[in-house]
Amino acid sequence: MKKRKVSVLGSTGSIGRQTLDVLSAFKEDFEVVGLAAGSNVQLLIEQIKEHKPRFVSVKDTELAQELKSTLSDHSIEIFCNDVGLEFISSSACDIVVNGLVGSMGLKPTISALSHGKRVAFANKETLVVAGGLIKNLLKRNKGEIIPLDSEHVAIHQCISGARESEIKRIILTASGGPFRTWKEQDIQKATKEEALKHPTWVMGPKITIDSATLMNKGLEIIEAMVLFELPVGKIDVFIHPQSIVHSAVEFVDGNIIAQLGATDMRLPVQYSLFYPQRRELPFNLFCDLLSVGKLEFEAPDFNKFPCLKLAYHAAKEGKSYPIVLNAANEIAVDMFLKEEIKFGDIPKIISSTMENHKPSEPSSLDEITELDARIRREVSERAKTSKI
Ligand code: MG
């Protein structure tokens, strides 16, 4: 069989590294043609030496120069910034793995889908800010999105072509993060180190903080609405501390189909790259249910995790609210990671931004990016003058 050509956006991040692990194990099936990274040039150079892509992109011209001088004896084309991301997404590849973090993944996604690519999709923020736009693109072009987020990979497998009228609800599971058993007042004061200690998954810093606030699950609600064309009323969140059931679909006839597996992103990555085929797992990651022993489920506590409530609110209100939710969250998480605000300030910043927002219905890419940038400026300014 002809090798399929793959480009990996965000190659030095958590998803990118795990994707390259899977691609290394299936060298007969895939060829890496493009890699895009931010500023971790050292790791990118190692990846280039191993995977020999034709195109790479980094964050800015300075880093691109640095890369050019280090790799002068390699035949490789080097790009930078948004232009590089867009070029790599539309280059001569069959699959684009979008492991970017935040709404910076929007333009390359549009570029890949417009060129009819399969996008293996871990960049949930893009679906949150531009769900309508992406759905229209999918209808107009030959491109397709295969989820890569573990919950959505689970639903993708369980839903198996069912019509909306046959689905009672989908159950998105959440580990509950590091603060599941903490008291509300202690969560408010949690430190960066405490928030970065995820109990079951190893992930990048932004998504780990989102998992601690449960905003990650909130964004996944909106992501599921777009991917599976379901109303928010058919999406429930269950806390499931073992993280073995990755999500489930309950049908109107009372049957519930759940997907179970190890907590390792290489499983959803492999599924997404090979779909609709299944291939033998090359890693020792089979899930031993006997050693797991028991599976527990509980309802989420919206008072302890107000970010989940805010995300449900944005999902119900629709219009520009998901963009505002996402932009305010990205700025607030960034400030928390720089230790400029407290953990308890994250939902406060998002909530006050949503309250001050006059909803609109941005539909073009320009309108979306403009609103996204305006919200980010407003949030940063208000936080600086401590009007949180
Ligand atoms: Mg997930």
Side-chain angles (χ1 to χ4, degrees):
M1 206 176 76
K2 217 174 102 210
K3 280 191 190 185
R4 270 171 291 175
K5 297 185 170 74
V6 184
S7 286
V8 183
L9 312 182
S11 69
T12 56
S14 180
I15 293 286
R17 292 195 308 268
Q18 297 183 76
T19 301
L20 289 176
D21 254 7
V22 175
L23 291 169
S24 294
F26 291 103
K27 285 205 161 128
E28 300 298 306
D29 301 274
F30 300 104
E31 177 192 344
V32 177
V33 290
L35 293 177
S39 48
N40 190 347
V41 172
Q42 214 175 345
L43 177 58
L44 179 62
I45 290 171
E46 284 173 33
Q47 295 179 338
I48 292 168
K49 286 183 178 158
E50 193 194 331
H51 295 278
K52 303 182 179 59
R54 281 161 55 201
F55 314 109
V56 294
S57 177
V58 281
K59 198 176 170 190
D60 54 40
T61 41
E62 219 169 285
L63 292 167
Q65 278 308 331
E66 189 186 328
L67 205 57
K68 264 180 201 155
S69 52
T70 322
L71 297 167
S72 52
D73 51 343
H74 280 66
S75 64
I76 189 168
E77 285 185 61
I78 299 169
F79 302 87
C80 62
N81 58 47
D82 280 5
V83 179
L85 279 175
E86 281 184 67
F87 178 81
I88 286 186
S89 325
S90 58
S91 68
C93 64
D94 308 302
I95 304 172
V96 175
V97 176
N98 183 344
L100 295 167
V101 180
S103 51
M104 71 183 294
L106 175 56
K107 283 184 188 169
T109 303
I110 291 178
S111 171
L113 292 178
S114 312
H115 286 83
K117 315 279 182 205
R118 164 178 288 193
V119 184
F121 210 76
N123 176 223
K124 62 194 75 169
E125 293 90 346
T126 285
L127 291 184
V128 171
V129 301
L133 194 70
I134 302 282
K135 275 201 272 187
N136 285 339
L137 264 176
L138 287 169
K139 276 178 202 143
R140 281 208 311 269
N141 296 283
K142 287 196 203 93
E144 60 173 348
I145 285 185
I146 305 291
L148 209 160
D149 208 348
S150 62
E151 295 78 359
H152 304 79
V153 164
I155 297 161
H156 196 256
Q157 292 174 78
C158 301
I159 213 163
S160 64
R163 286 194 297 273
E164 199 219 304
S165 58
E166 297 170 322
I167 297 163
K168 187 160 187 279
R169 60 174 172 170
I170 60 177
I171 298 164
L172 281 178
T173 54
S175 71
F179 307 137
R180 181 177 63 90
T181 56
W182 284 35
K183 288 200 188 80
E184 197 180 323
Q185 60 268 37
D186 296 332
I187 298 177
Q188 303 269 333
K189 295 177 286 189
T191 65
K192 181 175 145 184
E193 285 67 33
E194 288 164 337
L196 284 173
K197 258 187 229 145
H198 196 273
T200 49
W201 289 97
V202 180
M203 306 175 287
K206 195 263 176 182
I207 186 172
T208 307
I209 301 302
D210 283 348
S211 298
T213 61
L214 289 200
M215 179 56 92
N216 182 50
K217 212 48 53 183
L219 298 174
E220 286 178 358
I221 293 169
I222 306 174
E223 184 184 9
M225 290 168 72
V226 179
L227 286 173
F228 306 108
E229 302 203 49
L230 289 171
V232 63
K234 286 194 177 185
I235 303 174
D236 282 338
V237 170
F238 284 12
I239 304 295
H240 167 50
Q242 291 81 16
S243 296
I244 294 296
V245 174
H246 297 309
S247 278
V249 179
E250 184 174 357
F251 294 91
V252 286
D253 61 1
N255 287 296
I256 298 177
I257 300 184
Q259 183 265 338
L260 288 73
T263 51
D264 191 293
M265 282 312 290
R266 286 173 291 181
L267 271 82
V269 166
Q270 182 176 326
Y271 173 85
S272 190
L273 289 171
F274 277 108
Y275 177 80
Q277 283 180 22
R278 288 192 189 268
R279 294 291 283 273
E280 171 116 23
L281 185 66
F283 312 103
N284 184 19
L285 291 170
F286 289 90
C287 175
D288 177 12
L289 286 176
L290 288 176
S291 65
V292 175
K294 61 176 181 180
L295 300 172
E296 296 163 298
F297 302 93
E298 56 193 62
D301 183 334
F302 290 103
N303 294 324
K304 270 163 71 169
F305 300 103
C307 282
L308 186 59
K309 200 167 158 184
L310 291 166
Y312 260 118
H313 180 68
K316 271 181 205 142
E317 293 296 321
K319 294 183 184 153
S320 46
Y321 280 107
I323 300 174
V324 176
L325 174 92
N326 180 67
N329 180 57
E330 281 190 32
I331 297 290
V333 170
D334 189 50
M335 291 172 78
F336 175 71
L337 285 170
K338 289 179 184 150
E339 298 181 306
E340 294 169 1
I341 57 166
K342 290 201 285 288
F343 190 80
D345 292 332
I346 298 174
K348 285 183 198 154
I349 288 176
I350 302 164
S351 164
S352 70
T353 310
M354 284 173 67
E355 272 166 32
N356 285 317
H357 178 66
K358 287 193 186 66
S360 57
E361 293 196 59
S363 54
S364 70
L365 176 61
D366 284 348
E367 287 168 349
I368 292 168
T369 7
E370 205 175 291
L371 175 65
D372 181 70
R374 178 164 64 80
I375 300 295
R376 282 162 198 266
R377 271 196 314 274
E378 283 173 15
V379 174
S380 308
E381 274 160 29
R382 263 214 324 279
K384 256 184 230 146
T385 51
S386 8
K387 283 187 210 145
I388 291 167

